Structure formats: C-alpha cells, structure tokens
Amino acid sequence: MDKKPLRPNAKRSKGGRGFKNASFIVLIMLIGLISYAAYRQPSTQQEIPITTAVQQANDGQYKKITVTGDELQITKKNASQPTLKAYKEDGTSLKDEGLNYNKVQVSIKPASGTGAVIGSLAINLIPVLLIGGLLYFMLKSAQGQGNQALSFGKSRARLYGNEKDKVSFKSVAGQAEAKQDLQEVVEFLKFPKKFSSVGARIPKGVLLVGPPGTGKTMLARAVAGEAGVPFFSISGSEFVEMFVGVGASRVRDLFAKAKKNAPCIIFVDEIDAVGRRRGSGMGGGHDEREQTLNQILVEMDGFEQGQNVIVLAATNRADVLDPALLRPGRFDRRVNIGLPDRPDRQAILEVHFHDKPMASEVDLDALAAKTAGSSGADLANIANESAIIAARNNHTQISQADVTEAFERVAIGPERKSKVMNDHEKELTAYHEAGHAIVGHVLPDSDVVHKVTIIPRGGTGGVTWFIPPEDKSYHNILEYKDILARMLGGRIAEEVVYGKERVTTGAGNDLQKAAELARDMVINQGMGTKLRDQVFHVEEGMMIERMVHEREYSDDTAKVIDQEVEALITEAATRARAVIKHNLKYLEALKDKLLEKETVDAEEVHALFTGSHLPKEAALY
Ligand code: ADP
C-alpha cells in the first residue's frame, strides 16, 4: 500500500528545502569571498621607489619594464618574470622621471581598471547580496508556513489515474463476486447515458466491507483502472485534525476537486474513522467528527444526476457506521469482501510469485492449504519474504525451504536462534510444547499438529502449531472446548512434571488467549451453560483519550459471566490434566525428540504419538 506520494508534511519539507537552499547559496558566496580575498592577496613582487627603478634601469640592470597605468612591472636582466614593481606619479611619463629608453625595453599597456572596479564593486556588493539573500529566504520560508496554515482546510487526497501500470480486475486475484458487483460500477462510470436514458439512478456510494488486507483498496483502484477515470484516495482519519471545522472543509475541498475531474472515483479508506454512529457519546463522538460526517452526507446529497462521481468507501466495521450513511442515495450498495478461500489463496499466491524465479519443487497448492485465515496482504507478504530469504541465502531461485521459512516467519515471527536457553529452560520448554501437542492430538475435535519447535520465535519460547485440515467458517462448542484444553496443555504439562508451585511464566500468553476465547464464547457466542443462547453487548470506545467499555447488562449478569468463564477454564484444565497424566509416555517421547532435534514436524509427531489415547475423564461425549 505504498501509495503516499503527497504526505501531509510535504509542504513542511519544502520549507526545509528552501532553508537548505539559502544556506547553500550563502556558502557559495562565502567561498567566492574567500577566493576573491585570496586573489587580492599582495603579490610577492617587491615594491621599490620610482627613483630607484629609474636609476637601476639607466644602469642597465633591467631587461624590460611593462607599464600598466601607473604601475611598472620590472623584469631584471637575468630573470624571466617581473620580480619588482614601482609606481610612477599619476599623469607623469617615464621620460619625466628621467628614464633612458635606450637602456631598457619599455612596453606600455593601456590601463584597463576593470579588475579594480570589479574588485571594489564585489567588496561593496557582497555584504548587500548576503543580507539580501538571507532576508529573501527567510521571507520565503515564512511564507511557506503561511501557505501551509492556509492549506489546512484543503483535502489531502492523492490523485491517481495517470500512472502507466494501472490496476485492473485482472491484477486482483479471486474475489469473483466482489468483482462482479463492482463491474456494474465500472459500467456506470463508462456509459452513464445508458442508465440515465432509462431513468435509472446511478448509485453515489458503494461500501466495501471486509477485514484489513483483503484487497479493498486494490479493488477500488481496479474499478478506476477499468473505467479509465481518475481516482482520489483519502483515509477517513485524514479528515480529522485537532481543529474544529477542518474536517468539513477538507470534505468540501475533496468533493469540489472530484467534481472538476468527473467522471471519477473518490476512495475513502477507513470510513469508520469519521462515519461512526453519532450521538452515542462513545467512539470519540465529538463535534468535529460529526461535522465531518454531516459534510460528507451533504456533499453526497448534493451530487446532481449525471455528475458521475462515485464514492467508494472501505471499512471492516460496517456495524458501527452511522445509519444515515447507509441510507438510499448514499452508501446504499455494499460489497462484502471476505478472507480468501483456498482456491483464491492459491490464485493470490500465484499472482505474487508470478514474477519471481521459483524452483519447480515449490508447492503453492500446499501453501494455500496451510494459510487458512490469511488475507491477501499476508500472502503477498509471504511471497515477498520468500524472495528476501532466497536472496539472503544466495539462491538464484526460491526454494521450497525458503517458502516454508517465509510462511513461518509471517505467521509467528522470525526464529530467534541467538536467544540462549539453559538446559533446564530447554527441557521445560520441551515439556510445555509437548503438553500442547499431546492434548491437541488426543482430543477429537482439535485441529491436527503441524509442527512443534523449541526454537524461540517472535515473542514466544517455543511453538506448537495446529492447522485445520480444511477452511472452516464456523466452530462448535466441542471444538472451542478442545482448543481451550490444548491452550492450557503447556501449563498443565509443567504442573504435572515439576509440581504445582513450579509452573512458570512461560504460559502467560496461552492463559491470556484462553481467557479471551472463553469470554468470547460466553459473551458473544451464547455458549455458556447457564447463559446459553444469550449474547451480551459491550460497546468499546474512546472517551477523552481513555478506552471505555459500556455494557448493557446488570452486575448480577456480569457475575454469572465471570463464573461461566471460570467454569470453562477449569474444565479445560481438568481435561488437559487427564490427557497428560494418561499419556505421560508420549509426552516424554516428544520432549526427548524436541531436545534432540529442536523442531519436529507433523509426521514425526504422529509417529511418536501412535498408541496415545483419550481418557474417559477428558471425553465430552
Ligand atoms: P485493504 O485495502 O483491504 O486493507 P489492500 O487493497 O491495501 O487491502 O491490499 C493490500 C495488499 O494485499 C495489496 O497491495 C496486494 O499486494 C495484496 N492483495 C490483497 N488482496 C489481493 C488479491 N485479491 N489479489 C492480489 N493481491 C492482493
């Protein structure tokens, strides 16, 4: 998303450049002055009185005298260059001074005087120029800042559309439905008459809804590219500044610019930054945001038919948008853009690996299978990381190992091989990871183990990696409970092996994630025991710089929610404990293998765990 040709501080940096220019010119002037001074340095010729010069000339000691104005340059008999100089009186001739012209060769040059004139001019002018120059640049940079203040209300939208490499629908892999929906927008822009002639109202706004990195910006640019119209891009958050009224004036400016360039597309990224529901007092609902939002609505209503400006807006939270934005005549069309499914992931990977040399062994199909839940941006990142890793390893082609490393790096952060762990810590990590693995392996509704490692990665000591065999859109309670138990598997393994009081902080992250999942189950998914099929709304927002949660349930319910969460966690811990205690042999086997090899992959884990079983105490059905 490197599309920021005109950053807000562009003006400022121009001011800075002006200042740099000024100092550069001052420097040049100084250098000139110094070299002039050097040039003016007294020459090494010795000055003698005119009478001595005449006398010595008459004595036949000189070869030549060159007269320029009043100055005599004297070359002695045995010298090749003048070594002496003398000055005659103004207006007198050498004959008047008593020179015998037969004794020496005399040549007379007209006195130019330009050198002296330039010299004195320069000396007088340089300070004036210096001061003048400084004043000029000071004024100019001050003016620059003034301009900046004046341009505050100008929108900072970036205009695209003239680049050579226009984005088209072909550059966006997958997303067939979204493209189909947007194809219509392309038609509106290309052939407005076709629609207006039958009385159809061309939509003014289209909302692109989807998680970050799924290609919303790309699709919007592709619409502009396909229709061959300019594309103004701005982020919702760029409207809002500290000063009230700026956002609204930026909106006015943006729409005015767009109308001048019609037909065109305005793309507002992160519209939720300004378009949140008004009046709740939450979500930073201050006047400025509301004014900006109102102005957007006013501008959209103000489009006349046939004006042909279409606003595309992107958000990943359509639920928080103000209903006024979604009314007919505004953003009344919605295009949902989801995370890519497996074939789409493969297509995206192919697009991004397309221009990179790859070994024939590289299996993008398998990579697509492993990357469930990744966005297009994540996949683009994997492709780029693969190329970087290949280059770092001095490969001429990207190998399968490079791709695997890139995938793991993007998914859980780079390996930190340099982090030194002592033997006890290593053993503890091995038990911890083996705990996750055995619990996940044994429980029937958990995903399969993909890889276990005790090499620190990202912020963790080790990683046990589970990958679902196929893309899943929904999870049931049994699956969630198994996930909870395997999350606690690490902590419980430590407890079973070392004792209750010797568990470590290594599980901090697991516990936090488990708590989040359990709370989500109870609050948002209606998966509690007492609170089954009920959800509890908590609105999060910022209020005077503070995060606040506004809940719509009583204190009594809050207490029950806490009890439900606790029950889920306790149950998960009990199940994990039962699995580990009944399968200690397998836990030990994987721990030993981890200490030996540090990373154990899926096949080996499955081989080591052959014979492990689900104890009655851990079974849910
Ligand atoms: P969003 O606006 O939804 O956050 P972007 O459009 O900025 O996402 O996408 C970020 C990057 O991800 C793009 O520059 C592109 O490299 C990659 N990408 C996302 N989706 C796709 C796709 N369907 N096909 C190809 N590349 C994609």
Side-chain angles (χ1 to χ4, degrees):
M1 297 227 300
D2 199 4
K3 47 180 195 243
K4 307 172 185 104
L6 244 181
R7 294 312 302 159
N9 53 5
K11 269 263 156 70
R12 217 170 301 149
S13 72
K14 206 167 153 196
R17 213 178 312 143
F19 193 72
K20 260 192 226 152
N21 273 345
S23 20
F24 181 63
I25 286 179
V26 168
L27 193 74
I28 297 252
M29 283 179 164
L30 274 177
I31 291 174
L33 199 64
I34 289 167
S35 28
Y36 179 71
Y39 175 70
R40 290 265 308 169
Q41 252 185 13
S43 71
T44 49
Q45 288 167 345
Q46 190 195 347
E47 190 179 329
I48 52 172
I50 184 73
T51 46
T52 319
V54 168
Q55 193 187 347
Q56 289 182 350
N58 291 345
D59 288 350
Q61 291 181 22
Y62 298 161
K63 186 166 39 173
K64 186 177 175 191
I65 296 178
T66 310
V67 186
T68 317
D70 297 333
E71 190 182 288
L72 281 66
Q73 296 277 336
I74 302 164
T75 312
K76 283 190 170 169
K77 264 257 155 73
N78 46 2
S80 58
Q81 293 233 357
T83 50
L84 298 172
K85 67 177 176 185
Y87 292 96
K88 67 183 175 64
E89 226 160 90
D90 197 15
T92 60
S93 70
L94 282 178
K95 203 173 179 183
D96 298 340
E97 300 284 356
L99 183 77
N100 182 351
Y101 278 80
N102 298 325
K103 294 282 181 185
V104 66
Q105 180 197 344
V106 177
S107 68
I108 296 177
K109 277 190 185 168
S112 72
T114 36
V117 171
I118 289 178
S120 65
L121 254 183
I123 285 204
N124 292 323
L125 274 184
I126 280 174
V128 176
L129 282 178
L130 264 176
I131 294 169
L134 263 177
L135 268 176
Y136 173 73
F137 284 110
M138 273 164 66
L139 272 177
K140 207 168 166 192
S141 65
Q143 216 173 33
Q145 276 156 19
N147 279 346
Q148 199 185 333
L150 287 178
S151 70
F152 221 60
K154 292 261 182 344
S155 82
R156 282 146 190 202
R158 295 165 288 274
L159 175 64
Y160 298 89
N162 302 321
E163 318 99 291
K164 275 185 228 113
D165 53 337
K166 275 189 187 157
V167 180
S168 68
F169 279 146
K170 268 205 215 104
S171 7
V172 186
Q175 304 291 9
E177 281 162 34
K179 280 189 213 166
Q180 213 169 8
D181 291 348
L182 290 170
Q183 183 59 42
E184 211 176 335
V185 178
V186 174
E187 303 244 322
F188 291 143
L189 287 165
K190 263 185 157 167
F191 314 109
K193 290 237 167 62
K194 187 168 115 186
F195 294 89
S196 55
S197 64
V198 290
R201 187 175 53 82
I202 291 179
K204 293 172 180 171
V206 180
L207 200 60
L208 307 174
V209 185
T214 42
K216 297 183 292 293
T217 312
M218 242 188 140
L219 275 167
R221 290 184 70 180
V223 172
E226 292 279 335
V229 300
F231 174 78
F232 288 91
S233 164
I234 192 164
S235 168
S237 53
E238 283 176 67
F239 283 123
V240 185
E241 287 265 357
M242 257 166 59
F243 305 105
V244 174
V246 170
S249 109
R250 283 189 183 160
V251 171
R252 268 194 299 276
D253 181 62
L254 171 66
F255 279 80
K257 268 191 208 157
K259 279 180 203 161
K260 260 190 232 150
N261 283 286
C264 73
I265 284 183
I266 298 179
F267 177 64
V268 187
D269 208 355
E270 301 169 37
I271 182 114
D272 41 303
V274 282
R276 272 175 187 256
R277 194 165 294 144
R278 291 170 293 183
S280 64
M282 304 284 293
H286 53 80
D287 273 355
E288 170 59 357
R289 215 174 44 79
E290 286 192 7
Q291 278 189 22
T292 309
L293 177 58
N294 283 338
Q295 192 61 41
I296 293 180
L297 301 180
V298 166
E299 291 289 345
M300 288 187 77
D301 290 345
F303 280 167
E304 283 138 36
Q305 269 308 324
Q307 208 140 33
N308 229 350
V309 176
I310 295 187
V311 188
L312 299 184
T315 177
N316 57 347
R317 299 276 323 260
D319 55 317
V320 300
L321 292 182
D322 196 289
L325 261 180
L326 308 174
R327 235 191 45 195
R330 290 159 182 177
F331 290 99
D332 48 0
R333 272 172 194 251
R334 179 188 290 211
V335 176
N336 286 318
I337 298 167
L339 287 171
D341 56 12
R342 183 170 163 179
D344 278 6
R345 287 201 298 275
Q346 182 157 1
I348 296 174
L349 284 170
E350 272 158 17
V351 165
H352 288 281
F353 273 103
H354 167 71
D355 54 349
K356 301 182 174 65
M358 264 197 305
S360 52
E361 69 194 14
V362 176
D363 188 353
L364 291 185
D365 186 29
L367 181 57
K370 280 198 290 192
T371 41
S374 301
S375 68
D378 295 332
L379 299 172
N381 198 9
I382 292 178
N384 188 41
E385 281 287 333
S386 303
I388 290 175
I389 291 169
R392 258 209 343 242
N393 293 339
N394 295 324
H395 295 165
T396 48
Q397 284 186 321
I398 298 173
S399 70
Q400 180 63 39
D402 297 334
V403 174
T404 309
E405 193 184 330
F407 162 56
E408 293 179 356
R409 177 187 278 238
V410 171
I412 38 177
E415 287 186 350
R416 289 186 301 149
K417 283 196 169 137
S418 57
K419 188 177 176 217
V420 191
M421 282 204 268
N422 61 34
D423 286 350
H424 172 67
E425 278 185 347
K426 251 192 186 160
E427 187 193 75
L428 183 125
T429 312
Y431 272 124
H432 183 106
E433 298 308 328
H436 288 303
I438 188 72
V439 175
H441 180 83
V442 164
L443 294 181
D445 292 288
S446 162
D447 303 320
V448 289
V449 179
H450 171 66
K451 195 174 229 178
V452 189
T453 174
I454 55 166
I455 299 175
R457 296 198 85 120
T460 64
V463 183
T464 304
W465 208 336
F466 295 90
I467 288 191
E470 61 201 20
D471 288 14
K472 273 188 191 164
S473 310
Y474 305 111
H475 290 278
N476 62 33
I477 299 180
L478 295 172
E479 283 164 353
Y480 270 164
K481 285 193 167 179
D482 282 5
I483 293 176
L484 275 180
R486 86 176 184 222
M487 280 175 170
L488 296 178
R491 160 59 64 97
I492 302 294
E494 290 181 33
E495 176 199 297
V496 171
V497 175
Y498 297 107
K500 244 187 175 153
E501 308 298 328
R502 294 198 187 275
V503 294
T504 67
T505 51
N509 197 19
D510 299 335
L511 300 185
Q512 192 182 341
K513 283 200 184 130
E516 272 167 23
L517 175 58
R519 193 156 276 277
D520 182 56
M521 285 172 72
V522 178
I523 291 187
N524 299 320
Q525 312 300 342
M527 289 179 171
T529 318
K530 285 182 222 151
L531 300 173
R532 182 63 56 96
D533 305 333
Q534 296 182 49
V535 294
F536 302 92
H537 186 65
V538 181
E539 187 162 354
E540 285 183 353
M542 298 291 288
M543 207 140 127
I544 321 176
E545 308 274 309
R546 262 187 53 225
M547 192 75 185
V548 285
H549 304 266
E550 193 178 49
R551 55 175 209 218
E552 291 174 1
Y553 47 82
S554 70
D555 286 353
D556 290 342
T557 311
K559 217 179 256 171
V560 181
I561 290 175
D562 289 343
Q563 287 163 1
E564 292 269 29
V565 171
E566 196 195 326
L568 279 171
I569 299 282
T570 313
E571 182 190 54
T574 312
R575 294 177 72 212
R577 199 171 290 117
V579 171
I580 289 173
K581 282 194 167 157
H582 282 87
N583 293 284
L584 266 181
K585 194 169 87 184
Y586 304 99
L587 183 85
E588 293 285 343
L590 180 55
K591 175 218 71 172
D592 290 339
K593 196 46 122 202
L594 280 170
L595 288 178
E596 177 198 327
K597 291 181 61 181
E598 295 199 327
T599 301
V600 183
D601 62 24
E603 279 160 37
E604 255 179 303
V605 172
H606 292 288
L608 286 170
F609 285 171
T610 323
S612 57
H613 70 286
L614 174 70
K616 215 170 52 267
E617 299 91 318
L620 288 175
Y621 53 90

